[in-house]
Amino acid sequence: MLTPQRVALGRIRNNAAFQYRAWKMAVDWVIALYVVVPGLIFLGYQYASWWREAPVWLEAVPYLLFRSYLFIAAVTGTIRYFVDDADQLFLIQRGSWFKRMIATGMTYSLVSQALGLALIGLVLFPLLRNGYGISGQETVFLFLITFLMKIYLMLGKQQLELRLSGWKSIIVRALLMPVLAAVFGVLSSGAGRGLLFASLIAACLFLPLCWLLPARLRAKGTFYRDVIREREEKMKLASMLMSAGGFPARKKSKPNRKHPFLFPASRKLFKQRTQENVLAESLIKAILRSTSKLRLVALASLAYCTAISVCPASGIRTIVLIIVSALFAWMAKAFAKEAATEAYVQLFPWKDEVRMEAFWKTGAALTIPASALFALVAGIWDGGPVSGLLMLPVGAALGWFIARMFGMSGLQPKRAAQNAE
């Protein structure tokens, strides 16, 4: 017998199968055999060693920084309802069915988010216990408070999407983020003040949710925005993999505005107006005017700086610096290839030589500042601020070389085939 719960569970299974196919497209048996399996074995060995004693690099990571990453984990994610465009033909007209169906999707989202945070807590517990002296009880309450705050933030983001859009939404997010971070810091610090105090904080966060979550299910006028969000969440992983492979997904329609946030006057970035410079200028502006790409660049830079900071020795830190600069250059080239698919760029028949030259210049414009930042962080950890300043030109030169190497590869086989014809 067909029930709302079965409809929702069927969509959840279809979504899981779709995400599995997307992962399978990126990780074939060769990558799994030579990269994934050895990586899991190495991480398993490291994780076992964490239970015996804390690693040396943990001494350089303050507990406050660890809690700031928990706030990032609380900010990310969303509640999915697994609604579809076709639901407006039948299900949306039957309120009881539709509410039970989206309630099942909400329950699945909350459970999956809770399991994800629990897995993170299990992985990090040896570091918390041996490195910071955090007990098991305090760890449980810390991640419980993080999960409850995550629910509030996910509901708040959805309400903000319904109320505001464009630059107004960006300004509100920018103003609220420091306030929310401060609130999270105060609440998460209560996890270490005893069982009674932590239980009181958790109860105060939980009780309003007993009204907020049902109220979200009863909300009117959210169907079409929920459909768009569901489509975006379903295609997020596949779009990222396709963009990295040079096959970007269809662009989302954006509201028209008279002036972009960056480069509003379309000023020239290069003095010489060659074809390579014009194309590179268009790609750079297209990337820097994209809010989603800037957000991804900021998160990646934060993660890379953290990876450099926790390295136990100078030699390992240098290797990590080269690796993260290469990863950033690869991401910059992927952004450039995606920006090259814009309609106004494809109006002109660019030659392969022009495209390669523009790709490496675009990658250099993004990679050189980032690589210089990574080198600055590495230098500060090695020898202080003076060493960091001395490492700036080294990082810039490394970024230029890696961007040149990545940008001038990838199109030669196609050009050679055309010459052979």
Side-chain angles (χ1 to χ4, degrees):
M1 179 179 177
L2 188 63
T3 62
Q5 290 80 4
R6 287 188 177 182
V7 174
L9 292 175
R11 293 182 179 181
I12 292 172
R13 286 193 296 267
N14 293 337
N15 175 76
F18 179 81
Q19 302 301 331
Y20 171 75
R21 290 194 299 270
W23 275 112
K24 192 175 180 181
M25 178 180 63
V27 183
D28 57 9
W29 70 270
V30 177
I31 298 177
L33 181 62
Y34 292 101
V35 178
V36 177
V37 174
L40 291 177
I41 294 174
F42 174 76
L43 293 177
Y45 174 79
Q46 293 295 322
Y47 181 68
S49 66
W50 292 350
W51 283 94
R52 296 189 295 269
E53 60 179 354
V56 178
W57 54 262
L58 193 62
E59 299 177 358
V61 182
Y63 183 55
L64 182 61
L65 181 62
F66 171 80
R67 284 165 54 194
S68 67
Y69 280 102
L70 277 185
F71 175 70
I72 295 176
V75 171
T76 56
T78 186
I79 298 177
R80 299 181 60 178
Y81 304 98
F82 297 96
V83 293
D84 193 76
D85 291 297
D87 293 339
Q88 58 186 315
L89 301 177
F90 176 78
L91 289 175
I92 199 174
Q93 302 174 16
R94 289 158 176 80
S96 60
W97 265 61
F98 189 69
K99 288 180 181 178
R100 282 186 288 170
M101 190 189 73
I102 62 176
T104 304
M106 174 186 284
T107 303
Y108 166 79
S109 297
L110 295 179
V111 171
S112 60
Q113 296 285 351
L115 292 177
L117 281 177
L119 179 61
I120 295 175
L122 180 63
V123 171
L124 297 180
F125 176 67
L127 300 179
L128 294 173
R129 186 189 65 176
N130 298 331
Y132 304 109
I134 306 299
S135 64
Q137 172 187 300
E138 184 176 347
T139 303
V140 170
F141 276 102
L142 179 63
F143 279 87
L144 176 60
I145 293 173
T146 302
F147 173 64
L148 295 175
M149 281 291 297
K150 187 181 183 70
I151 299 177
Y152 282 99
L153 293 173
M154 290 189 297
L155 292 174
K157 284 192 298 183
Q158 293 184 3
Q159 289 298 318
L160 183 61
E161 292 173 357
L162 295 173
R163 300 287 188 272
L164 300 174
S165 63
W167 62 270
K168 295 181 180 179
S169 175
I170 296 175
I171 291 177
V172 172
R173 287 171 183 263
L175 294 176
L176 288 179
M177 197 61 65
V179 178
L180 295 174
V183 172
F184 177 81
V186 173
L187 295 178
S188 60
S189 64
R193 299 184 182 179
L195 176 62
L196 181 61
F197 193 79
S199 301
L200 181 62
I201 293 177
C204 292
L205 289 174
F206 174 76
L207 291 177
L209 293 177
C210 297
W211 177 81
L212 288 175
L213 291 175
R216 178 62 181 87
L217 295 177
R218 296 190 300 268
K220 303 295 184 181
T222 65
F223 173 76
Y224 295 104
R225 190 64 190 88
D226 291 339
V227 170
I228 296 174
R229 186 188 311 109
E230 172 62 26
R231 189 184 303 119
E232 293 173 355
E233 290 295 323
K234 180 179 179 180
M235 295 300 299
K236 182 180 294 183
L237 176 62
S239 299
M240 181 181 67
L241 296 176
M242 291 174 64
S243 298
F247 303 97
R250 185 181 61 181
K251 306 293 189 304
K252 295 184 294 183
S253 60
K254 299 181 180 179
N256 295 326
R257 54 177 182 258
K258 294 182 179 180
H259 300 288
F261 297 117
L262 294 178
F263 307 110
S266 296
R267 296 178 180 175
K268 299 177 181 179
L269 301 181
F270 300 95
K271 292 183 179 180
Q272 297 182 354
R273 307 307 293 168
T274 62
Q275 294 184 16
E276 297 84 357
N277 291 345
V278 170
L279 179 57
E281 183 177 298
S282 301
L283 299 180
I284 293 171
K285 291 180 178 180
I287 294 171
L288 295 181
R289 287 169 176 172
S290 173
T291 305
S292 60
K293 289 184 175 60
L294 290 180
R295 187 185 302 116
L296 181 59
V297 166
L299 293 176
S301 300
L302 179 61
Y304 294 159
C305 289
T306 303
I308 294 172
S309 302
V310 301
C311 291
S314 176
I316 300 178
R317 189 174 292 112
T318 302
I319 296 175
V320 173
L321 170 62
I322 297 174
I323 293 174
V324 298
S325 297
L327 290 174
F328 201 94
W330 174 82
M331 183 174 64
K333 184 181 179 180
F335 286 166
K337 293 173 68 175
E338 181 179 358
T341 61
E342 295 284 355
Y344 68 91
V345 176
Q346 293 183 341
L347 289 174
F348 305 94
W350 306 102
K351 296 181 180 179
D352 282 352
E353 295 82 357
V354 174
R355 288 165 59 87
M356 284 191 295
E357 189 73 18
F359 281 166
W360 96 260
K361 288 186 177 181
T362 303
L366 300 176
T367 306
I368 289 176
S371 183
L373 172 63
F374 303 151
L376 174 66
V377 173
I380 291 176
W381 281 101
D382 282 336
V386 177
S387 177
L389 293 176
L390 294 176
M391 284 292 292
L392 276 175
V394 178
L398 176 64
W400 182 91
F401 174 78
I402 293 178
R404 181 77 176 179
M405 181 178 63
F406 273 87
M408 297 301 289
S409 63
L411 291 177
Q412 290 90 336
K414 179 180 177 181
R415 184 176 56 182
Q418 291 177 350
N419 295 335
E421 293 178 356

